[in-house]
């Protein structure tokens, strides 16, 4: 429902290629100067922006069992305008009345870092922001882990999984995704290898499919 970029993103291209309905640019766009315009009273109010976001999700959700709402940056992004990710989760959850006013907050799944201590500490910091306002955090997915070394995927999975088992019984580490060498720094690589613009989309979609396959393999 909110974005910092109006350019076409790979997630939009991928969704279109596999027939998944999506909203590429939501009703809240953090264009350059947006926050200053908001503070000067030159934009719509927080309430109006949140209501528009909720209605956009409602429209997309019709006839669907699952809707994924993509957050922006870290949890507090947009807080200066009252449209941070926690507020968005509260505004875009499933309706419990027909007046578009009463909702259950959308539950959150955090995408976390590699490592152990930093991964867990960052998860707890981010989840606390949502939980403070009654938004459920289901757990996390930890991304871009190396396959070898002290902080290898298997070592981190064992340690972080142990932490969740012992101290976060109501939450879950849903998966640990390895770094995929083929798509690391893919944007720069694509630019270098396709300076004329030919077949860039094909390469991007190939890399997206590679990531989706890796995701399916490593996430419950």
């Amino acid at each position: 429902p909110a974005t910092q970029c109006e350019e076409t993103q790979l997630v939009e291209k991928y969704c279109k290629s596999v027939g998944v309905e999506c909203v590429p640019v939501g009703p809240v766009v953090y264009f350059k100067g947006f926050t200053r315009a908001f503070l000067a009273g030159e934009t719509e109010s927080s309430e109006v922006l949140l209501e528009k976001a909720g209605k956009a999700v409602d429209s997309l959700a019709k006839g669907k069992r699952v809707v994924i709402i993509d957050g922006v940056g870290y949890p507090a992004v947009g807080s200066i305008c009252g449209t941070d990710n926690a507020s968005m989760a509260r505004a875009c959850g499933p309706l419990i009345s027909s007046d578009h006013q009463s909702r259950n907050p959308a539950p959150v799944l955090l995408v976390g870092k590699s490592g152990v201590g930093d991964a867990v500490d960052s998860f707890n910091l981010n989840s606390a922001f949502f939980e403070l306002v009654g938004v459920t955090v289901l757990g996390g997915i930890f991304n871009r882990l190396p396959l070898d070394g002290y902080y290898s995927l298997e070592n981190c999975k064992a340690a972080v999984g142990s932490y969740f088992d012992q101290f976060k019984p109501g939450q879950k580490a849903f998966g640990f995704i390895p770094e995929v060498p083929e798509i690391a720094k893919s944007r720069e690589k694509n630019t270098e290898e396709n300076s004329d613009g030919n077949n860039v989309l094909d390469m991007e979609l190939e890399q997206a499919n590679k990531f989706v396959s890796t995701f399916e393999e490593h996430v419950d």
Side-chain angles (χ1 to χ4, degrees):
T3 182
Q4 292 174 305
C5 182
E6 294 182 89
E7 295 180 0
T8 301
Q9 301 295 300
L10 180 54
V11 65
E12 175 188 356
K13 299 174 185 177
Y14 177 78
C15 286
K16 288 182 176 179
S17 75
V18 296
V20 173
E21 188 179 357
C22 69
V23 179
V25 179
V28 181
V29 179
Y30 297 125
F31 57 81
K32 185 177 181 179
F34 180 86
T35 53
R36 296 187 188 189
F38 175 85
L39 294 173
E42 297 168 356
T43 70
E44 294 170 310
S45 67
S46 304
E47 293 75 17
V48 171
L49 293 170
L50 291 172
E51 182 179 5
K52 284 188 172 182
K55 289 182 177 179
V57 173
D58 294 342
S59 178
L60 181 66
K62 290 179 180 177
K64 299 178 180 64
R65 294 177 60 192
V66 176
V67 175
I68 297 174
I69 305 170
D70 188 17
V72 178
Y74 52 90
V77 167
S79 62
I80 189 172
C81 305
T83 53
D84 54 85
N85 286 287
S87 297
M88 282 291 182
R90 290 170 59 88
C92 296
L95 288 164
I96 55 177
S97 68
S98 59
D99 59 4
H100 288 266
Q101 299 297 319
S102 300
R103 298 174 181 267
N104 287 321
V108 170
L109 178 64
L110 294 173
V111 178
K113 300 180 177 182
S114 60
V116 178
D118 191 24
V120 169
D121 293 345
S122 297
F123 174 87
N124 286 332
L125 176 65
N126 291 326
S127 64
F129 187 87
F130 291 100
E131 293 163 346
L132 182 66
V133 293
V135 176
T136 297
V137 176
L138 301 173
I141 296 172
F142 298 88
N143 196 23
R144 302 185 66 175
L145 286 90
L147 293 176
D148 302 309
Y150 186 71
Y151 287 103
S152 69
L153 186 151
E154 290 303 321
N155 288 344
C156 293
K157 181 178 181 179
V160 175
S162 175
Y163 171 80
F164 274 83
D165 290 342
Q166 294 184 65
F167 303 108
K168 295 286 183 178
Q171 296 173 324
K172 180 179 178 180
F174 286 90
F176 298 80
I177 305 173
E179 181 77 79
V180 182
E182 294 91 339
I183 63 175
K185 298 183 179 179
S186 59
R187 184 173 298 176
E188 292 83 353
K189 182 179 179 181
N190 287 349
T191 301
E192 293 172 0
E193 295 185 358
N194 298 274
S195 58
D196 59 357
N198 292 332
N199 301 317
V200 172
L201 177 59
D202 290 340
M203 288 190 64
E204 288 179 334
L205 292 178
E206 181 181 347
Q207 292 161 352
N209 281 311
K210 175 66 175 177
F211 179 79
V212 169
S213 297
T214 303
F215 186 94
E216 290 176 340
E217 181 181 352
H218 291 277
V219 178
D220 292 339

